[in-house]
Each structure stands twice: as structure tokens, then as C-alpha cells.
Amino acid sequence: MTKAGYEVQTLRIVTNPFGEWILPENEEDVQVARTRLMEMDAILDECGISFCSLGPGMNLNEITKLCPMIIQSSGRFSCSANVPPANVEAAKAAAACIIAISHMGETNEEPSPPHLAGGLGNFRFCAACSCAENIPFFPAAKAESLHDGENKSADSNRIGLAVGLENGALARHLLTQTQSIGRVGTIFREGMADALLPLQTLCQEIIAESDAKTHYLGIDTSLNPSLDEGGSVAEAIEMLEEVGGSFGGRGTLAAAAAITTSLQSLPGIQRTGYCGLMLPVCEDSRLAQLGERAELKISQLLSISSVCGVGVDTVPVPGDCTEKELTSLILDVAGLAGRWNKSLSCRVFPHPNCSVGDETSFDSPYLCNSKVFSLE
């Protein structure tokens, strides 16, 4: 891919749900899981792989006992908690995990482990709600379960290649040309397809040159921001003349719906994953700016998620938030996901010692800082 002029930022590995392999069947000795995580971490280190998603915890035991262990064990690992619609106990377990992970950096060690300091462990954990297999974006990513029985596909034992994009600058370019929501289905849609078709052809050629154990899963066509200048997806959407004022105001919902419809119907593109609009507050400089000005609320992000994706993502919340508050938020996301049969996730960052309106102090190349959002 690099020879063709594409920048490959990271190579990532995704496994089937970790409960299927991290412990022997009916085994409850968590030390076995710790040992396997250590061994896997060492192998990833040898191979130069810095990101590995172990899939979701599928039951309360896996969520409460193993998810925190996975996040604490290594900065390479991500995982999630599967939360079906209206499943209060699963939502409570996920909320408890989020709070526990947020405190993992509070140790006697000086300094705290960098992958846990300041609540950053939750960068690698989320509540996954109705999430499909083969999403290439972390932490909700998961490969196909080996326990699907009759639903198990012929490709379940093969290595799959899925591509996730960082394309905020492309979105800005295309939406500037598009100008109006009324032309998103033509100018924007055609421009995205034209940009992705050569990449898809390249992926298919790579697969064709590999062995028969590898197959092409597709491209997640989602608009995903970068922290580079001009890389904000929210700012790109503000290029549309019907989006009055700033992102989150009038016209935003219509724009998000039109863009998502186009992303999910690009001609000639094999799709996988969310294929929607990604609005991670601390990964999009414009969203972070709106958060600093108190011009963006979690309720707005939830509303927009009803017509696109990906849910409530990288939102800083008070360090003293309660399990009950987080449970309700997760259930809202799960309810939306279940009602509309779409992949959504809830990834929030309780920021230690911070209250609503306080500035965050994340030290990560993947995040920008904003102000702490209210959960009310």
C-alpha cells in the first residue's frame, strides 16, 4: 500500500470474542488468563504490532472479571462489553468497568503506567451495542465468533483484511465542493466512491497474491477525523450551507443522515464495519472546541447517532460520575442501536479529579483536550 502512495498508520489485529479462548472451558482461574495475555503481548511485541482488540465480553463474568484485567495488562490490548438493548445488568457491569478502569492510573508508582494515567485506560474500552463483526475501528472491533453454529461462515477460520480510514481532509474537500445537503447523494457520494475504488482494487490485488487462508472483508467507509490541520469531520460538515451556525445546530441531523446514506451506498465498494459518521469528541478538534464552549452536549451526540454512527465516543465526563449515571447513558446507546439495528458504542472517559467544565489533561498523541461534559 505504501508503494502505491497510501499512508499506513497502523497494522492492527482483531480476535474472536476473548471468552472463547482466554480461559479453558469451565476454567475460572484468572491466573491462566493473565498468563495467556502476557504471552500474547510478548508475541505482538516481537511482531511490532501495537494494537490488538480481543473482542467483547459476552457475559457478566467476562465483563466484570476479565475486561479490567485485559485493559490493565498492556497498552496494546483493547476490548469491549457486549450490551444488548434493555439489558440493565450488562449495562451496569460495563459502567462498573468504566469506573474501575478510570482509577487504574491512581497507583503508588511514579509515574503511573502511561496507558492508564489520567483515566486513559478507557481509550481502549467501550460498551458495544449491537456491534457487527469485522468493524476495523477499536475498541469495538471483533472477529467472527467460532461458536455461531449454523450461522458460522465458510470464512470464519480464515484471516480477513478490513480497512479503516482517517479521511477528515477528504471529507472537507468533498463537502466544500458539494455545498448543499441536496447534492450529498451525488457530488459527495460519487467523490467518495472515486477515492475508494483504487484502494479497494489494491486490497484485492494484495489478497490475490497471498495464500488461500486470507480474504478481503471490505472498507469501513466511515468519515473519521484526524488531529491534523483541516482533519475535523465536524468542521467539514459545517461547509454545507444548510448547517446553520455550528455543528450540532440546525441542519446537522439532516446532513448526518444524508452523508450516512451515501457512505452506505457507495457504488462498487465492498463495505464492512460502521460505515457512518464518526464523532469522537477528543479526536476531532472542532468537536473539542465546541465542548470547551459548552456548545455541544451528550444529548446532541445521541440524537445525531440515531441517523449515523458511531455512538457516544471519547467524551470526557466527571471523575466522580456514578455507576447509575453511566448505566443510563449506556442503555440509551443500546436502545438506539437495538431499535434501528445498527452498530453503536459508548466510550466515555471519567477524568480523575475533574468536574463538569474543567479542562482535561490527556497526554496522548491520539487525543486532543476539551472540557468535561455533563451527564445530565
Side-chain angles (χ1 to χ4, degrees):
M1 286 188 179
T2 54
K3 291 181 181 178
Y6 292 98
E7 179 185 356
V8 180
Q9 292 187 330
T10 60
L11 293 175
R12 305 184 175 203
I13 291 177
V14 180
T15 74
N16 52 306
F18 62 80
E20 298 178 3
W21 54 267
I22 200 170
L23 285 175
E25 189 173 359
N26 300 321
E27 175 65 68
E28 295 188 1
D29 184 2
V30 293
Q31 186 56 44
V32 175
R34 287 194 180 95
T35 300
R36 290 189 171 181
L37 289 170
M38 290 175 60
E39 292 171 345
M40 189 172 186
D41 190 47
I43 293 170
L44 291 169
D45 185 44
E46 289 179 10
C47 296
I49 301 295
S50 299
F51 300 89
C52 180
S53 176
L54 306 188
M58 299 299 293
N59 56 53
L60 297 182
N61 185 59
E62 292 174 3
I63 295 171
T64 56
K65 290 186 178 180
L66 297 179
C67 283
M69 180 195 304
I70 290 168
I71 298 304
Q72 189 169 36
S73 65
S74 170
R76 299 179 203 279
F77 294 140
S78 296
C79 66
S80 58
N82 181 58
V83 181
N87 191 320
V88 177
E89 293 307 313
K92 283 182 178 179
C97 273
I98 291 169
I99 291 174
I101 291 168
S102 73
H103 293 298
M104 286 180 178
E106 300 173 0
T107 68
N108 294 325
E109 297 181 36
E110 290 293 340
S112 299
H115 66 286
L116 301 172
L120 274 180
N122 278 304
F123 181 64
R124 296 174 291 108
F125 177 78
C126 72
C129 307
S130 302
C131 283
E133 295 163 342
N134 303 324
I135 293 172
F137 291 104
F138 286 28
K142 64 175 178 179
E144 188 173 341
S145 170
L146 299 181
H147 295 168
D148 281 346
E150 294 180 358
N151 296 322
K152 187 175 176 181
S153 76
D155 291 324
S156 60
N157 290 319
R158 300 168 69 197
I159 297 170
L161 171 66
V163 178
L165 307 170
E166 192 173 88
N167 53 9
L170 174 62
R172 184 186 180 95
H173 171 71
L174 292 176
L175 291 174
T176 299
Q177 289 184 329
T178 301
Q179 296 184 326
S180 170
I181 290 173
R183 291 190 285 271
V184 167
T186 53
I187 297 174
F188 172 79
R189 179 171 176 264
E190 292 166 5
M192 281 295 294
D194 288 345
L196 298 188
L197 278 169
L199 175 60
Q200 175 169 272
T201 299
L202 180 60
C203 291
Q204 291 169 334
E205 290 173 352
I206 292 171
I207 293 298
E209 294 171 0
S210 65
D211 58 58
K213 294 182 179 179
T214 306
H215 66 116
Y216 174 60
L217 295 168
I219 298 173
D220 191 325
T221 60
S222 295
L223 294 190
N224 179 37
S226 76
L227 294 178
D228 297 333
E229 182 71 26
S232 165
V233 168
E235 197 170 59
I237 292 171
E238 291 176 339
M239 299 297 105
L240 296 172
E241 59 188 31
E242 294 86 2
V243 179
S246 60
F247 183 91
R250 64 184 186 276
T252 301
L253 196 67
I259 290 168
T260 301
T261 298
S262 292
L263 292 172
Q264 294 180 353
S265 61
L266 297 180
I269 300 298
Q270 182 173 328
R271 295 178 290 105
T272 191
Y274 291 113
C275 297
L277 194 59
M278 305 189 80
L279 301 172
V281 170
C282 288
E283 294 179 322
D284 186 305
S285 58
R286 178 58 172 156
L287 292 178
Q289 182 184 61
L290 293 170
E292 288 177 346
R293 298 175 180 174
E295 295 177 9
L296 188 66
K297 298 179 180 179
I298 289 178
S299 59
Q300 290 170 285
L301 295 171
L302 269 172
S303 176
I304 298 167
S305 293
S306 68
V307 297
C308 61
V310 166
V312 176
D313 198 19
T314 70
V315 178
V317 297
D320 63 353
C321 63
T322 66
E323 182 180 307
K324 183 177 180 180
E325 290 172 321
L326 291 178
T327 298
S328 296
L329 175 60
I330 292 168
L331 285 170
D332 281 342
V333 176
L336 269 181
R339 177 63 181 85
W340 302 114
N341 190 29
K342 60 191 301 180
S343 299
L344 294 176
S345 58
C346 182
R347 179 167 52 154
V348 293
F349 301 157
H351 199 296
N353 304 314
C354 280
S355 302
V356 174
D358 289 345
E359 187 79 18
T360 62
S361 55
F362 298 126
D363 183 15
S364 168
Y366 307 111
L367 298 171
C368 57
N369 284 295
S370 183
K371 288 191 175 178
V372 173
F373 282 55
S374 171
L375 281 166
E376 294 182 358

